Amino acid sequence: MKIIDWKIPVIYLGSFGILVLITAGVRGYSNPFLYMLEELCAGGIMLGAWFMATDYVTSPITYNGQIIYAVFLGVMTWLFRMVGSGSEGVSYAIILGNVITPLIEHYTRPRAFGIPKEKKEKKEAGAS
């Protein structure tokens, strides 16, 4: 039905998984991949990635905005779970992602066809 675009959930889970894998390697776990799989299957990350993060109203609509949003969610979930004292950070990460969505949209908005970029004025060196 093509209701949910694959980019946000896959990049969200991928960025979180890579950070957890690095964390497991640094902390010296005997099987970092198993630890990563346990973290990916634990808590509400799958529910958050597939249903909450892809909400039409609160997720970015631009291609680059969706990538930035998904990576932000992965990093924030990793921070809340691995660095913070709480065991679940998915909902907090999604709330923060929803808060910065207008900012992401502002910076990833495409220019209209035919409108040139604004040129910055160059300051002449040595001129007072």
Side-chain angles (χ1 to χ4, degrees), residues 3 12 16-17 20-21 25 34 45 47 51 58-59 62 66 71 73 81 86 91 100 103 113-114 118 122 125-126 128:
I3 304 268
Y12 177 21
F16 176 73
V20 169
L21 191 64
L34 181 62
I45 193 162
L47 177 71
F51 297 107
T58 58
S59 61
T62 61
Q66 290 177 350
V71 170
L73 293 180
R81 278 192 178 184
S91 57
I100 68 162
L103 185 66
F113 183 72
E118 294 181 16
K122 293 182 182 179
S128 312

Side-chain angles (χ1 to χ4, degrees), residues 28-104:
Y29 288 103
S30 60
N31 192 348
F33 289 103
L34 181 62
Y35 183 72
M36 178 190 67
L37 288 175
E38 289 173 353
E39 285 292 324
L40 283 173
C41 294
I45 193 162
M46 288 294 176
L47 177 71
W50 293 102
F51 297 107
M52 293 166 55
T54 57
D55 182 36
Y56 291 139
V57 177
T58 58
S59 61
I61 58 172
T62 61
Y63 180 80
N64 291 333
Q66 290 177 350
I67 293 171
I68 293 168
Y69 177 74
V71 170
F72 177 80
L73 293 180
V75 170
M76 292 308 295
T77 303
W78 174 78
L79 280 173
F80 286 130
R81 278 192 178 184
M82 300 292 139
V83 179
S85 61
S87 61
E88 187 60 38
V90 175
S91 57
Y92 297 123
I94 292 174
I95 289 170
L96 285 176
N98 293 344
V99 168
I100 68 162
T101 294
L103 185 66
I104 294 172

